[in-house]
Amino acid sequence: MINETALLESQTLRSSVLDRTDVLDRVKTLTLLPDGMHVTTAMVATYFEVGLEAIKSLVKDHRTELEANGYGLLTGEELRSFKNLSGIQSRTRSLALFSRRAVLNIAMLLRDSEVARQVRVYLLDMEYLARTQPVENPVPADAASLDDRIDQRITHILGKTVVPMFNALIETSGEHRRELIALRAGVQRIEKRLQQHNARLQRLEGPREDRPLAGVMAAMDAMNGREFEERVAELLRRDGCTDVVVRGGGRDRGIDISALTADGRRIVVQCKRFAPHLSITSPDVQKFAGAAKVLHESEVALFVATCPFTRDAQNIAAESGITAVHRGLLEEWSAGAALSVLE
C-alpha cells in the first residue's frame, strides 16, 4: 500500500500513477491553453495556489523527471508556431509548458500546497480501492474517456477540415457538383451522429442520485478531523436523526457526536479520520465502548472510521453492541445507503 510520503519521495511510485490525470479535474478544474494540451508555469502556480517560485524551484530540482512527463521550454521557431496555433499574444522569448502528466507530476512533488495534497489523497484512495475491491469483467480504466476523446477528435476533423474541403470543391467543380454535395451531406450526418453519441455518453456517465459519486472517500480523506465529524453529522441528519450535536474537543467525554434516532433512541458516535492503510484496533473500540455504555448510556453506538477495523476490534465491537462503520461501509453510507441500526 503506497502512502503520501512515498509519493513525495519515490519517482518509481510517481511514475506508476501518472496515467490518472483525471484526478486533477476531480480536485479542481484545470484550465488548459487553447490547444487543449498544456498550461503555463503561471497557470500551474494558480492551480496549486502557490507562488511562481515554488513551481520554478521544483522544475529546477526535477527537470529530467518532468521533461519525461511532458514539460518543455519552447523557443525560436517552435515557440512562434505554438503562438500561431494557440492564439497566444506574447512577446516572451521562451515559454515553459506543462502537459497534464507534468502537472500531476508536480502535484506529487509539491509539499506546501493543500490542492496538491488533495490530489495525492485522491491517488491514494483510488490505489486502495483498486487493490481491495473485486472486479468482474474488468474494463480498462481509461476506455470510456479514450472513446470520448476519439469521438471528439473525429467530430473536430469532420467539421473543421473535411466539410470545408467539400465546400471548396463544390464551389470550383461543375461536372461532379451533385456527387460532392451528396458526399458532404453524408459526412455531415456522420458528424451529427457522433455529436449525439457523445452527448448520450455524457448523460450515461454523469453522476446520478442513485449512483455513488466518484471520489467520495477521497473527499473525506482530504478533510480535517472537525470537517469529518461535521460530515458524519450531516449523514445522521439525512437519515432522520434529530438533536444532532458535534461535541468533539477536550470535554467530549469520549464521544464526538450525540443525537437521537428517528424513533427516539439515544445515539453516540466516535469519529476517526485515519489514513486508509491504518486500522482501528481493539483498545480504540474498548475505550469507546466504555464511554458509550457507561458514561452516556447510549442505545445506539457508532464507531465511524475512514480505515478498516482489525479482526479483534470487530469482535469486541460486536460483543459490546458497537456498530463498526469501516471504510467500505462508510462509503456506501455516504453514497446513499442507510445504516440498518438507524432504521
Side-chain angles (χ1 to χ4, degrees):
M1 175 67 194
I2 61 175
N3 56 47
E4 189 174 352
T5 302
L7 280 176
L8 289 165
E9 301 295 340
S10 170
Q11 183 177 345
T12 301
L13 287 176
R14 291 195 293 271
S15 298
S16 70
V17 295
L18 272 170
D19 288 332
R20 297 185 177 274
T21 57
D22 59 309
V23 166
L24 296 170
D25 288 325
R26 293 185 184 182
V27 173
K28 180 182 178 184
T29 301
L30 180 62
T31 303
L32 302 173
L33 289 175
D35 74 341
M37 292 298 292
H38 297 83
V39 292
T40 64
T41 306
M43 290 175 174
V44 176
T46 299
Y47 179 81
F48 289 115
E49 300 175 359
V50 298
L52 278 172
E53 291 305 315
I55 305 301
K56 291 179 179 178
S57 177
L58 278 182
V59 172
K60 181 179 179 181
D61 293 340
H62 302 274
R63 191 182 188 96
T64 301
E65 179 181 344
L66 289 167
E67 285 179 341
N69 291 305
Y71 168 81
L73 188 67
L74 302 185
T75 58
E77 183 59 35
E78 195 176 21
L79 176 59
R80 283 191 291 274
S81 297
F82 181 81
K83 287 180 179 179
N84 291 335
L85 288 171
S86 63
I88 292 178
Q89 302 295 322
S90 172
R91 295 183 179 181
T92 182
R93 295 183 178 180
S94 63
L95 182 64
L97 293 177
F98 297 75
S99 67
R100 289 181 69 88
R101 283 176 65 94
V103 177
L104 182 57
N105 202 161
I106 289 289
M108 291 185 283
L109 293 167
L110 191 59
R111 295 176 182 272
D112 299 324
S113 165
E114 177 60 24
V115 175
R117 190 183 73 82
Q118 290 181 31
V119 170
R120 292 193 293 272
V121 165
Y122 266 112
L123 289 171
L124 292 173
D125 190 64
M126 288 191 293
E127 191 274 345
Y128 172 82
L129 292 176
R131 287 173 176 265
T132 58
Q133 289 191 349
V135 178
E136 295 182 4
N137 299 321
V139 177
D142 291 330
S145 60
L146 178 60
D147 289 344
D148 183 56
R149 291 198 300 271
I150 291 173
D151 285 351
Q152 290 184 19
R153 187 60 178 165
I154 293 174
T155 304
H156 176 81
I157 292 171
L158 292 177
K160 301 298 183 181
T161 304
V162 179
V163 171
M165 180 187 70
F166 274 114
N167 291 339
L169 289 172
I170 291 167
E171 290 296 325
T172 59
S173 176
E175 182 180 355
H176 301 289
R177 182 181 178 88
R178 181 176 297 176
E179 291 86 344
L180 289 170
I181 291 174
L183 286 171
R184 181 184 64 182
V187 169
Q188 289 174 322
R189 283 196 298 272
I190 294 172
E191 180 186 3
K192 183 177 180 180
R193 287 180 181 177
L194 281 172
Q195 290 171 341
Q196 293 171 340
H197 174 65
N198 185 255
R200 182 173 179 272
L201 282 178
Q202 294 295 323
R203 290 194 301 272
L204 291 174
E205 295 167 5
R208 300 198 315 253
E209 291 183 358
D210 61 341
R211 180 169 59 199
L213 295 175
V216 63
M217 290 308 301
M220 288 195 186
D221 290 334
M223 297 176 182
N224 60 35
R226 185 67 178 189
E227 290 170 338
F228 179 55
E229 291 168 3
E230 294 288 353
R231 173 56 180 156
V232 174
E234 289 176 10
L235 293 174
L236 291 170
R237 295 187 186 100
R238 183 201 72 188
D239 289 354
C241 296
T242 60
D243 295 337
V244 180
V245 178
V246 179
R247 299 174 175 270
R251 299 180 180 179
D252 61 10
R253 300 183 71 197
I255 66 168
D256 296 315
I257 302 171
S258 63
L260 295 176
T261 63
D263 58 5
R265 290 171 293 155
R266 179 170 174 76
I267 309 170
V268 294
V269 185
Q270 175 72 263
C271 300
K272 292 294 183 184
R273 195 199 63 77
F274 284 176
H277 63 279
L278 300 178
S279 296
I280 300 299
T281 61
S282 52
D284 296 323
V285 178
Q286 288 172 332
K287 182 178 178 181
F288 174 58
K293 301 299 182 180
V294 178
L295 294 180
H296 299 279
E297 299 180 346
S298 65
E299 297 170 89
V300 177
L302 306 180
F303 198 127
V304 183
T306 56
C307 63
F309 286 66
T310 65
R311 186 182 297 276
D312 286 343
Q314 290 177 335
N315 292 337
I316 290 173
E319 294 168 0
S320 306
I322 306 295
T323 300
V325 183
H326 54 76
R327 187 178 181 87
L329 184 55
L330 175 58
E331 181 175 30
E332 294 176 5
W333 188 25
S334 299
L339 289 180
S340 58
V341 72
L342 298 180
E343 295 178 335

